[in-house]
């Protein structure tokens, strides 16, 4: 396998699953960094070995992971093209964050970005010339693979965005068509774009983490990876050239990832947003502090009840997932900051909270859990709790501060979802929840 964007998350997730697969000795990962070479510089002297620090509530455990067979800087483009030309390379995995896909508002490649234009010109001039963006890296690799007469390959996105396989295929095909009009057809015939849902909290590595490894394990590790005990990987793809037996290491192989994506977005991300606003208003700094508050936990459980009525997974699966979330949230070692989660609510609430709200209102119910989240967000916009860091919320923030709460809420709701401010029953539910959340004076 080749991996693009090696960092802590990849090493705590896909590389870890591969190392635990029963056929791990048959697979190696040639990993390439992002723009910076720090990770390669740290891992090369260690032959790619690193320590995974699992932060359990009752203490840390340590595991040496050897899935990386080679680590390269992103600039080592010729090495990358050499790997992609080899028939034994069966999979390219990706973790570059959502921004790395360079999509425009229409979901297609944003050709107006300077890096896209520069990479397009570079590939037209020399298919083996250096490029920097993810779409261009993939197109360059596929050009090299076609030129070598090597065919079947799976491209597997492991970034945290819905339907990431289709997203990857779209931006690759958009660029491929501009580079060589014969390439899109070859891609359709030979390349499998797989989809995955990923989940594991993985903080940045600190000097304290390095010291912990040295104390506990007796060796120096320049690049250990701290993470939580929970992990999930749901994968859908054809894998025509084969893959590790990830399902025997705990991954879930399915025909459709979407129900799992929706579950995560609603239950994990939706409750994260609720706790970020309500918890910080009630004086807490971290997720574990907020979920320990009986009122916050009650709002979360109510929201989960509402969301679960509209999720297409078995009740037992949803119950297990909820129990796992409570354990994760309560882990005092993770210290997930509410202020970080509170950022960009104007973009997050429409995908985390509004789908459940719409479904509940269509069923004739008043979703008080959704109302609590939105009430807490309005109070956040009015200056309570975590600082507002949300460039997209200028209009909503102005409306939230334009008068008393009863006048402001309908206006904010209409900005969040046109027409919602006219739903008098829901407006009243938001006002009632705001009274319950904000500190008494």
């Amino acid at each position: 396998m080749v991996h693009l964007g090696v960092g802590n998350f990849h090493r705590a997730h896909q590389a870890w699953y591969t190392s635990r697969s029963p056929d791990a000795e048959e697979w190696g990962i040639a990993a390439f960094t992002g723009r910076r070479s720090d990770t390669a510089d740290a891992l090369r002297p260690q032959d790619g070995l690193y320590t995974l620090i699992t932060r359990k509530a009752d203490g840390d455990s340590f595991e040496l992971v050897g899935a990386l067979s080679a680590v390269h800087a992103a600039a080592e483009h010729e090495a990358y093209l050499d790997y992609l030309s080899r028939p034994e390379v069966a999979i390219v995995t990706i973790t570059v964050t959502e921004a790395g896909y360079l999509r425009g508002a229409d979901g297609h490649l944003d050709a107006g970005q300077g890096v896209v234009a520069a990479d397009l010109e570079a590939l037209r001039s020399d298919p083996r010339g250096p490029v920097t963006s993810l779409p261009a890296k993939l197109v360059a690799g596929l050009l090299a693979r076609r030129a070598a007469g090597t065919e079947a390959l799976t491209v597997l996105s492991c970034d945290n965005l819905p339907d990431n396989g289709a997203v990857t295929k779209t931006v690759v095909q958009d660029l491929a068509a501009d580079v060589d009009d014969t390439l899109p057809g070859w891609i359709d015939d030979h390349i499998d774009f797989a989809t995955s849902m990923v989940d594991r909290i993985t903080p940045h590595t600190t000097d304290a983490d390095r010291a912990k490894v040295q104390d506990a394990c007796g060796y120096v590790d320049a690049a250990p990876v701290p993470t939580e005990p929970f992990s999930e990987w749901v994968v859908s793809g054809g894998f025509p050239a084969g893959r590790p037996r990830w399902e025997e290491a705990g991954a879930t192989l399915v025909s459709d990832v979407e129900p799992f994506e929706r579950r995560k977005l609603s239950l994990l991300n939706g409750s994260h947003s609720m706790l970020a606003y309500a918890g910080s208003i009630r004086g807490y700094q971290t997720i574990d502090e907020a979920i320990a508050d009986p009122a916050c936990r009650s709002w979360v459980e109510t929201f989960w009840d509402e969301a679960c009525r509209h999720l297409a997974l078995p009740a037992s699966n949803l119950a297990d997932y909820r129990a796992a979330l409570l354990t994760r949230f309560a882990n005092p070692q993770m210290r997930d900051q509410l202020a970080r989660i509170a950022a960009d609510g104007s973009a997050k609430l429409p995908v985390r909270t509004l789908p459940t709200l719409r479904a509940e209102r269509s069923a004739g119910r008043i979703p008080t859990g959704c109302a609590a989240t939105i009430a807490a967000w309005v109070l956040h916009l009015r200056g309570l709790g975590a600082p507002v860091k949300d460039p997209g919320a200028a209009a909503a923030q102005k409306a939230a501060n334009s008068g008393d709460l009863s006048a402001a809420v309908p206006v904010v709701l209409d900005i969040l979802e046109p027409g919602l401010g006219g739903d008098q029953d829901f407006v009243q539910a938001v006002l009632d929840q705001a009274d319950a959340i904000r500190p008494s004076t």
Side-chain angles (χ1 to χ4, degrees), residues 284-326:
Y284 304 117
Q285 302 296 317
T286 61
I287 286 287
D288 60 294
E289 293 172 350
I291 200 64
D293 180 319
C296 287
R297 176 163 174 169
S298 176
W299 290 319
V300 166
E301 294 274 16
T302 299
F303 172 70
W304 283 348
D305 289 342
E306 296 162 0
C308 284
R309 287 195 279 265
H310 310 285
L311 296 175
L313 287 169
S316 59
N317 179 290
L318 298 175
D320 289 346
Y321 190 74
R322 288 172 62 159
L325 285 178
L326 288 174

Side-chain angles (χ1 to χ4, degrees), residues 401-435:
N401 290 280
S402 61
D404 65 28
L405 197 62
S406 61
V409 164
V411 183
V412 175
L413 291 181
D414 267 335
I415 293 169
L416 187 63
E417 170 112 319
L420 188 58
D423 185 340
Q424 294 301 317
D425 290 338
F426 186 71
V427 168
Q428 188 58 53
V430 171
L431 291 170
D432 290 344
Q433 294 303 308
D435 284 340

Side-chain angles (χ1 to χ4, degrees), residues 179-198:
V179 172
D180 178 344
D181 61 11
T182 69
L183 185 58
W186 183 87
I187 291 173
D188 281 336
D189 290 341
H190 302 294
I191 306 304
D192 168 46
F193 288 87
T195 299
S196 73
M197 187 216 78
V198 299

Side-chain angles (χ1 to χ4, degrees), residues 6 156 166 223 226 240 245 271 288 377 400 421 427:
V6 63
L156 173 60
R245 284 152 53 192
S271 58
D288 60 294
W377 183 60
V427 168

